[in-house]
Amino acid sequence: MTFAHAWALYALFPLALAALVLLQLYRARRRELVAGSLMLWQRVASQTAAPPRRTLPLDLAFWLQVLILFLLCLALADGAWTATSAPGRRVALLVDNGPSARARKGDGRPVWTDVASAAREILERLGPDDRVALLASAPLPRLLSPEEGLAPADVRAKLDALAPALSSPDADECARALLEEARVFGVAGTPAAALACSPRAAPALVQSLAHAAWRTVGPGPGLPNVALTAVGSEVVPSAAPAEKTAEAEVLVQVRNFGPVEAAGRVRLESLDPRRDLRDERALKLGAAGAPGAIAGVAFRVTGPEFPPLRLAWHPDGAPDALPEDDALTAAPRPVTRPSVRFFGEAPEVAALFEHGLHAERLKPGDARVADLAVFVDRVPAESAEEAARAVLLLAPPAAYGAFEVGEELLKRPKVLAGDPDELTRGFEAGAQGLDLPIAEARSLQPVGDVKPLLRDASGRLLAGRFRLAGARMGYVLAWAPGEELRKREQHLPLAALLIRLLREAQGAREPYAVEPLAARERAGGTPSAADWSAGLEPGAAAGVGVLDPSASALALGEPVSGAPDLAALLPEGRPETALLWPYAAALALLALLFELLRERRPQEPAGSAVPLPRAEPARRETASV
């Protein structure tokens, strides 16, 4: 038994008891009465024995008052009774079913068999009265059992139905989820034991806790694996725009995650039986971390319609540890030429759009809505603004929407990056700022909702984006690009900005779409099937591939032999605490009510009263009784 305020029993109760005794002695003192004559009292005193000495009246009322004081002090002391409950241990068990568990060992068996075997070993050492909260790490950490937990036998059934996934958060996030569940699953402020079975190394967060253990199983690091980690596609401008053909370039990144060199072929083939398309590239990759461990392979696909594709890595030797990340599928998407309408002359910008994106320049009489309307040294009228999906202002002479124009001109301003944006992604600044040699620019000052893409050293706006009516986009450059676009060695950042701007205005997409498998697994909340392979469903808007370097890296840790010490992590009983102050306060209240009711009851005389004659008030005398 423990007390939060022990002074209430050791100091306050003795003081209160002493005060009660003094009060009782004071009430039992001899009192002075006023009588008409002492003759009667003297005759009574001569016929009775000597009066008793004054003593403390230890009657029922006194002991009730002592009990009430003790109970009140006990409640104030905030006592708690701690005992050990009957056996019935509580365990939070994390089973790491991420991509590392899906990898194949040298004998062809998945690492998942070792993870599940280690978890079953823990369950076999638990009793039927124990309760287990089962968690899986992939695709996202989630609880597989009810909040009150399951018996070990029921957990085994759920473990048999669990499969490893091809995506997972890192080990630190899994450890945080395990420890949080152990805290919630515990009782009386004591967390449950936190156990994890994983092929990955134990995070430092778990190693420092006495109630947690992380067992690493599996073959250890060093399994060979090559994966397709990224894919992109781009429409290649045709040399003969009048022809109704198109050509797309597909670029795939291949990466070796194994400790030794790898050799093989990257093969592209059409999934449309009507298109006989097959191409491959031989490739040799260096060991992980060495030069040549990452390589890019490019393929060309011709139109007029692009077929669905499958790209796959075929090793020259034995299959690697994770065959699922060796292939991906790509679904074609419709691609159209962007259209541009110019108001004013900007020949260098027009040439960049026509040659870089095969853009179509609309003539003044064309009634079609352009993807981008370019206004050079002028502000658009409302009708012209509505005739385009986006507006680009080059060197605007007057205020417009979200910015104002100053009178001064900026001579060779130092160009700095503005807010992070996809249009300026990858722009690197040196000591002199970004490599954008601008001879002269207008002085623009943001006054509305405009996002700075480029600015000068004084914070003035050089390039930005803003919203127009109808959720359309507006762009502004404080200058009209010209001579700098003709210089091959200096135009790359500016050309990239303008091309990205036009593609965004068009809503252009890559000709092929590939979705990472992690997005599908997390959307469904379940791992992919054990026999999953990259495929393309008829009419699918996107292909699919693992495309996750963190999954293909197979972060395997050094295995730890032996199961965790359950005797230290799981005591036979768990501490249970009962607060005493509610019971003490209730008993004190009952004792007080009993005392009040007892005092209100009429008291019977102890003996017959001696009749006393009326005394005549001859004189006034006093006596002590």
Side-chain angles (χ1 to χ4, degrees):
M1 181 182 298
T2 57
F3 297 96
H5 311 295
W7 55 267
L9 285 178
Y10 302 143
L12 182 59
F13 176 67
L15 291 177
L17 183 59
L20 177 62
V21 171
L22 291 177
L23 179 61
Q24 292 291 340
L25 289 175
Y26 177 76
R27 293 180 60 186
R29 76 186 187 284
R30 292 182 178 180
R31 290 168 296 176
E32 193 173 82
L33 299 178
V34 178
S37 173
L38 296 181
M39 294 177 58
L40 176 62
W41 299 103
Q42 291 174 354
R43 185 178 64 182
V44 173
S46 63
Q47 295 177 359
T48 60
R53 293 169 51 188
R54 288 183 295 172
T55 60
L56 181 66
L58 301 179
D59 55 358
L60 179 60
F62 173 77
W63 292 114
L64 283 174
Q65 293 168 10
V66 172
L67 177 62
I68 292 172
L69 287 177
F70 176 76
L71 292 174
L72 290 177
C73 291
L74 181 62
L76 185 60
D78 195 8
W81 181 271
T82 303
T84 302
S85 69
R89 300 168 291 185
R90 302 176 76 83
V91 182
L93 177 60
L94 172 71
V95 180
D96 189 356
N97 63 327
S100 299
R102 194 152 181 155
R104 276 73 166 176
K105 300 185 292 184
D107 57 4
R109 295 186 302 116
V111 179
W112 171 246
T113 57
D114 297 338
V115 178
S117 177
R120 292 189 186 94
E121 182 180 349
I122 293 175
L123 295 175
E124 289 173 358
R125 301 173 63 183
L126 299 177
D129 295 331
D130 298 329
R131 288 294 175 266
V132 180
L134 180 63
L135 296 91
S137 66
L140 291 172
R142 68 192 191 281
L143 183 65
L144 301 180
S145 59
E147 294 183 359
E148 62 274 13
L150 291 173
D154 298 328
V155 176
R156 293 188 194 99
K158 284 192 170 291
L159 188 61
D160 293 338
L162 189 61
L166 285 167
S167 61
S168 173
D170 58 25
D172 288 335
E173 184 175 346
C174 295
R176 285 192 290 270
L178 171 63
L179 296 177
E180 174 62 18
E181 180 58 28
R183 184 191 67 81
V184 175
F185 195 53
V187 291
T190 302
L195 304 178
C197 299
S198 170
R200 295 185 278 188
L205 180 63
V206 175
Q207 297 176 2
S208 59
L209 298 176
H211 71 283
W214 185 288
R215 184 182 178 186
T216 302
V217 297
L223 291 180
N225 190 44
V226 176
L228 306 183
T229 53
V231 63
S233 56
E234 185 73 46
V235 175
V236 180
S238 173
E243 298 181 5
K244 295 184 178 180
T245 60
E247 189 175 18
E249 183 178 60
V250 180
L251 180 66
V252 61
Q253 184 187 78
V254 189
R255 184 171 178 179
N256 183 15
F257 294 92
V260 296
E261 295 181 351
R265 292 157 289 114
V266 180
R267 181 177 299 166
L268 176 143
E269 56 185 348
S270 170
L271 294 178
D272 187 348
R274 299 171 298 177
R275 290 289 303 272
D276 185 15
L277 175 62
R278 184 183 294 265
D279 195 4
E280 66 177 32
R281 304 281 190 274
L283 198 62
K284 186 175 182 180
L285 300 171
I294 305 176
V297 179
F299 297 94
R300 288 290 180 102
V301 181
T302 58
E305 293 184 357
F306 298 134
L309 301 176
R310 176 182 172 87
L311 294 104
W313 163 260
H314 296 272
D316 289 344
D320 56 26
L322 193 65
E324 289 89 339
D325 61 9
D326 292 352
L328 60 87
T329 56
R333 293 190 291 195
V335 178
T336 59
R337 296 172 59 189
S339 58
V340 185
R341 177 177 280 111
F342 280 84
F343 297 87
E345 294 299 325
E348 291 81 3
V349 177
L352 175 67
F353 287 160
E354 291 175 1
H355 293 287
L357 288 178
H358 189 26
E360 179 184 6
R361 184 170 180 176
L362 301 184
K363 297 180 179 179
D366 198 324
R368 289 180 292 171
V369 176
D371 292 318
L372 182 67
V374 182
F375 295 86
V376 185
D377 196 21
R378 67 186 65 187
V379 175
E382 185 175 353
S383 58
E385 181 183 294
E386 293 178 351
R389 296 184 178 90
V391 172
L392 171 62
L393 309 180
L394 302 179
Y400 181 81
F403 59 87
E404 290 182 350
V405 181
E407 296 181 358
E408 63 174 317
L409 294 178
L410 307 179
K411 301 293 185 179
R412 298 196 176 278
K414 181 178 180 180
V415 184
L416 303 176
D419 297 340
D421 194 271
E422 188 66 21
L423 296 181
T424 56
R425 173 176 48 86
F427 283 19
E428 296 181 359
Q432 300 301 319
L434 294 172
D435 187 17
L436 289 176
I438 301 174
E440 185 178 86
R442 296 245 165 96
S443 177
L444 305 184
Q445 186 67 32
V447 294
D449 188 11
V450 57
K451 181 179 183 180
L453 301 176
L454 302 174
R455 58 181 179 84
D456 72 345
S458 300
R460 286 167 291 201
L461 187 68
L462 293 179
R465 69 157 83 225
F466 52 91
R467 286 285 179 183
L468 297 172
R472 293 173 300 139
M473 189 63 68
Y475 308 91
V476 59
L477 269 65
W479 79 103
E483 182 66 26
E484 60 269 30
L485 285 180
R486 299 195 192 101
K487 298 180 179 180
R488 177 74 179 176
E489 69 279 4
Q490 293 181 344
H491 86 293
L492 290 180
L494 179 58
L497 175 65
L498 292 171
I499 288 177
R500 291 173 182 176
L501 185 151
L502 177 56
R503 288 179 60 85
E504 182 179 90
Q506 182 200 13
R509 301 176 296 179
E510 295 183 2
Y512 282 98
V514 183
E515 182 182 18
L517 182 63
R520 295 190 178 184
E521 286 193 336
R522 292 174 182 177
T526 57
S528 300
D531 58 349
W532 180 90
S533 62
L536 185 65
E537 299 177 0
V544 66
V546 174
L547 299 177
D548 185 358
S550 63
S552 301
L554 302 180
L556 301 172
E558 291 292 343
V560 177
S561 60
D565 186 6
L566 296 183
L569 294 172
L570 302 171
E572 289 297 328
R574 62 179 183 271
E576 291 187 349
T577 302
L579 299 178
L580 299 181
W581 71 264
Y583 304 99
L587 289 176
L589 181 60
L590 290 176
L592 179 61
L593 291 175
F594 177 76
E595 170 66 8
L596 293 177
L597 293 176
R598 196 185 66 83
E599 288 187 354
R600 293 185 60 182
R601 184 184 307 168
Q603 302 290 333
E604 294 292 336
S608 59
V610 178
L612 299 178
R614 184 184 299 273
E616 296 181 0
R619 66 178 183 276
R620 186 183 185 90
E621 299 186 23
T622 62
S624 297
V625 296

